[in-house]
Amino acid sequence: MALEIRSYSEKWGFRVFVVMTAIPFLTAVSTLLVWAAVSIIRPGLLALLQVGA
């Protein structure tokens, strides 16, 4: 019984570790993707606004 509880807690401990490691990594990746998208799209938007104005 003790062995089952230990393996269960180790499994959940590993999952918590993976989630806590993945959250900052995903945040960094999504921030980089947003920054890249803005840096690519912004010049085009500015050009369109200048043409329209």
Side-chain angles (χ1 to χ4, degrees), residues 2-4 12 14-15 17 20-21 28-30 40 46 50:
L3 192 72
E4 281 180 33
W12 275 105
F14 178 70
R15 285 181 183 176
F17 170 75
M20 295 304 287
T21 308
V29 169
S30 60
I40 290 165
L46 288 173
Q50 285 175 355

Side-chain angles (χ1 to χ4, degrees), residues 1-30:
M1 187 66 195
L3 192 72
E4 281 180 33
I5 292 167
R6 196 174 136 228
S7 64
Y8 183 76
S9 65
E10 279 177 4
K11 188 167 68 178
W12 275 105
F14 178 70
R15 285 181 183 176
V16 168
F17 170 75
V18 167
V19 168
M20 295 304 287
T21 308
I23 287 170
F25 177 73
L26 291 172
T27 305
V29 169
S30 60

